[in-house]
Structures are given as structure tokens and as C-alpha cells.
Amino acid sequence: MVKPISIQPRSGSAPSGAPSSATPPAPSGPVLFAAPHRPMFLAGVVQIFLSFLPWCWEMLARAGVAPGLTWPWPPGWVHGLLGLYGIFPFFVFGFLLTAMPRWQGMPDTPGKQAQAPWLLLVTGWALVDLGLVLAPGWLPALGLVAVLAGWGRVLHALWPVARKPGASRLHALPAWTALAAGGLGLVCWLGFALGGAPTLARAAVAIGLWWMLLPLFMVVSHRMIPFFSSSALPNYTPWRPHGMLHLLLAASALHGLLAVLDQAAWAWPGDLAAAGMAGYASYRWQLRRSLSVRLLGMLHLGFIWLGISWALYAAQGLAQLLGHPMLGLAPLHALTVGFFATLTLAMVSRVSLGHSGRPLVADSLTWRLALAVHLVAILRVAAELWPTGQAVLLVFASFGWVGVFMPWALRLLPIYLRARVDGRPG
């Protein structure tokens, strides 16, 4: 068994991003707001369960072992809304508010600056969740208005950071632009919630996937995986060409545009090119060496799913154009569960440990949970390839998701409510 190895950042480097000479500001107010990632990560962890427990029940209902739920909108659409906009963005907000200033060599964002947007986002999603239970159309719509207000506050806070001139704009500006695109997607969904055409909901899902989350996760991977690898592995030369990121972002933007126009199959050449680039990046980033350091290996293993999902999308698009539809939602869940979820667990674990003064070591539980997310992704993809057993596999995948993230949440939640163990601010 691979033994956990502590990752020691190089002298002058920050645990969550590029080197920064800025002194962290002293915390003020409750410890939850001592650093911006704390409240955002806490809300994201809670939202995982508020979003997925009803979905587990829906899977049981589809399998015929539980009564069905009443949904204000088609359940698959609600699942997409909550997954794309209600879970992952909390982790993205917390990470970017913490890391982006360091990328740009700017002072850390005061934790209290996250308080107002956090309150708006949490209130908004609470109203959405409550509306899904009570089923009135106006309550989820009101919640989305509050979410949009919080979203705008985050964009406002990050804009001066994103527009600062310098080489780091390669990552900061696309990340901010992706968040802005997410705001546009929420506006589309709000229009649908207020009685607009179903095409608005489809556009919101496409924008949230291809113009928001995928660009964000690719930007963070391009920035952080080589950086963390160079901090942990001896004689490691970071490989981070600008052209690689430009190609991946362009392929995502094109696929998103065609998806909004309901012509996503025509994106297959770009999908194939992106699959090749992502696979080559895994090779150049030395996946095999990364496995000697569990916390680092978790990031590299998660990144593998990017190439897999792009390849599945390319195969699906070409097959559809040739008159042979196949794969169903397999590419989508290879991307969302395989890439987004595994990278989220890895990155949030690392940031939570490093920014609480704890050793940067993935213990056995964290390592096993990280591997278990890959199994959940495989089950979810397999459900699309085995129609006769789909209902059973969907139940296993949904409950597997909760089974993985429950102990992970119980491990991390207390960290956000306690001061750093090393006595430092933040």
C-alpha cells in the first residue's frame, strides 16, 4: 500500500496557489468567516446532501421500491440545476476567493468579504430547496433571485483581481469570465422558472456545464496540478503551455454554443482534439509518479476523467451524425461525476487541510473515499451502457455518492468552525 507522504510547499509558496509575499490579514468576527473558503466550503458540503437525498429517493421510485416524489419541474432538469449551480459553485467560489489573489500576487481576500454573498447564496438555495418540497413556482424563482444577487457580489469582489495585468491573467481572467457565464445561465433558468420556454432551461444547463464549470475546472487544473506536483515531487519540471489551455477552453466554448443551439453532435472534432490534449497532459504531468503522494495522486487521477469524457462526447457526436445514437448520458456523467466530483474532493481536501494548519497528508479514509468516487462514476456511466440493469445501477450510484461524501463531510465540517491549529490567522 502506498504510504501517505506530507507535501511541503517550496519556500515562499502558498499552499493553495502561486507564491505570495502578502501577509494574511488577521481574522475578524466569527471563525467561520476567518477566511473566504470556510463558509463557502461548508455550504457546498451541506448542499451536497440537500440536493442528493431527494435524488436518491427518486432513484428508488424509478426502481419501483418507493413512492414517487412531486417535482415542480422535470426531475432531471432539477437535478441538473442543483448539480451545476447549487453544489460545485460553492467550492469554486471558496477556492477562487482564496487562491486567485495569490495567483496575482495580491493581498488575501478578507474572510469577512465573503459574508454578504454567502448569506445571499445560502438563503437563495434554501428557498429553492424549500420550493422543491412545497412546489410553488414563485418560491424557487425568489430563491434564484437571491442566488443571482450573491453571485454578482462574488463577481464584483473578484473583478479587480481578474483584470490585474500580468501573466497570471491567463488563469484569472478566464475563471472570472466562466463565473460571469454562470450568472447568464442562472438568468436563463430564472426566465424558465417565471414561465419562459423550456429552451431556456436547456440553455441554462448547457451554459452551466460548458461555459462555466468545465472552463473553471480546466483552468484550475492547468494552474494547480503542475504547481502542486512541483511542490511534492523531486526533480519535477512543471509543464503548463498556454496553447493547451487555449485549445481546451475553445473546445468547451464551441461545444457549449452548439449545445445551446441543440446541435452538439457537430462538436465532435473539437471534442476529439480536447480528448487528445487532456490525455497528453496526464502523461506530461507524470500521473504515475504522482501516486507516491496520495493527496497529489487524487488530483491526477481525477484529471484522467477529462480526457475520457471528451472522448465519449466525440464518439457520441460522430455516431449520432451517422445515424447511430449511443451512450446516452454516459459522457455527461463521466464529466460531472468523474471529473468534477473527484477533483472537488481532492482539491477541497487539500485546501481545507493546508488552510487550517494541518499536515498536507491524505489519510487512509480520505484516500479510500477519493477512490470510491471513481467507482461511483464508473457505476453511473455503466448505467447508460446496460439498459436492463440501469435502475439498479442508478440506485447504487446515487447512494454510493451519499455514502462517499457523508464521511468526507463529517471529517471536514468541524474544520471550518474551528480556528487554525497552528495559531495563524485565516
Side-chain angles (χ1 to χ4, degrees):
M1 179 178 292
V2 180
K3 296 181 179 180
I5 299 176
S6 177
I7 303 177
Q8 299 297 333
R10 291 177 175 175
S11 177
S13 66
S16 68
S20 172
S21 59
T23 301
S28 60
V31 70
L32 178 61
F33 298 100
H37 73 280
R38 286 174 172 261
M40 294 297 182
F41 285 6
L42 182 144
V45 168
V46 172
Q47 186 69 357
I48 285 177
F49 298 104
L50 293 179
S51 301
F52 265 85
L53 289 177
W55 190 246
C56 288
W57 190 272
E58 174 70 16
M59 294 301 98
L60 290 174
R62 294 187 185 186
V65 296
L69 297 174
T70 300
W71 298 84
W73 304 310
W77 295 10
V78 176
H79 183 57
L81 170 68
L82 296 178
L84 294 173
Y85 293 98
I87 297 176
F88 293 114
F90 276 112
F91 298 113
V92 170
F93 291 153
F95 178 82
L96 291 181
L97 286 167
T98 301
M100 191 187 289
R102 298 187 175 201
W103 295 353
Q104 301 286 62
M106 299 175 68
D108 288 354
T109 303
K112 203 169 182 180
Q113 192 169 338
Q115 186 168 359
W118 180 80
L119 287 171
L120 287 166
L121 290 165
V122 168
T123 300
W125 285 116
L127 291 174
V128 172
D129 293 335
L130 187 61
L132 295 178
V133 175
L134 301 178
W138 63 269
L139 197 56
L142 180 62
L144 290 176
V145 171
V147 170
L148 273 168
W151 204 286
R153 294 291 293 264
V154 175
L155 286 172
H156 178 73
L158 289 175
W159 174 239
V161 183
R163 68 183 177 89
K164 180 186 176 184
S168 290
R169 289 182 68 179
L170 172 71
H171 301 99
L173 196 56
W176 188 92
T177 303
L179 286 180
L184 173 63
L186 277 173
V187 170
C188 290
W189 193 280
L190 179 59
F192 165 69
L194 293 174
T199 53
L200 288 172
R202 187 186 70 210
V205 170
I207 290 171
L209 181 65
W210 297 103
W211 290 356
M212 181 183 68
L213 283 186
L214 183 54
L216 283 166
F217 274 77
M218 293 191 300
V219 164
V220 171
S221 297
H222 186 264
R223 174 81 187 190
M224 305 310 300
I225 292 179
F227 173 72
F228 288 152
S229 298
S230 66
S231 299
L233 301 176
N235 302 317
Y236 184 93
T237 302
W239 182 79
R240 196 162 50 194
H242 294 191
M244 168 194 167
L245 184 59
H246 293 156
L247 171 62
L248 293 176
L249 291 176
S252 187
L254 175 63
H255 195 123
L257 176 62
L258 292 172
V260 169
L261 300 175
D262 200 21
Q263 298 293 325
W266 292 98
W268 75 265
D271 297 345
L272 187 60
M277 178 57 72
Y280 182 64
S282 289
Y283 165 74
R284 287 297 301 266
W285 287 346
Q286 302 182 33
L287 165 67
R288 185 174 179 180
R289 286 188 66 197
S290 76
L291 298 179
S292 64
V293 183
R294 285 177 170 176
L295 206 57
L296 179 64
M298 288 160 54
L299 292 168
H300 283 259
L301 288 172
F303 188 79
I304 291 176
W305 282 97
L306 178 61
I308 293 173
S309 59
W310 276 121
L312 290 175
Y313 271 112
Q316 183 179 60
L318 182 58
Q320 183 176 339
L321 292 176
L322 295 176
H324 302 286
M326 65 177 193
L327 296 180
L329 298 177
L332 173 65
H333 289 93
L335 187 60
T336 54
V337 184
F339 183 47
F340 295 163
T342 58
L343 236 351
T344 295
L345 188 146
M347 190 68 72
V348 170
S349 296
R350 193 188 197 284
V351 173
S352 299
L353 291 172
H355 283 271
S356 63
R358 290 168 170 79
L360 288 169
V361 176
D363 61 13
S364 295
L365 175 62
T366 303
W367 175 245
R368 289 167 183 161
L369 293 175
L371 296 179
V373 181
H374 293 275
L375 178 59
V376 172
I378 291 170
L379 287 174
R380 185 58 189 86
V381 170
E384 299 297 321
L385 308 179
W386 187 30
T388 57
Q390 185 177 71
V392 174
L393 289 179
L394 288 176
V395 170
F396 276 111
S398 59
F399 278 88
W401 173 282
V402 174
V404 167
F405 282 100
M406 179 68 77
W408 182 72
L410 294 176
R411 175 69 62 87
L412 292 184
L413 284 176
I415 292 177
Y416 308 133
L417 302 173
R418 298 172 184 166
R420 290 178 60 114
V421 297
D422 58 5
R424 293 180 57 196

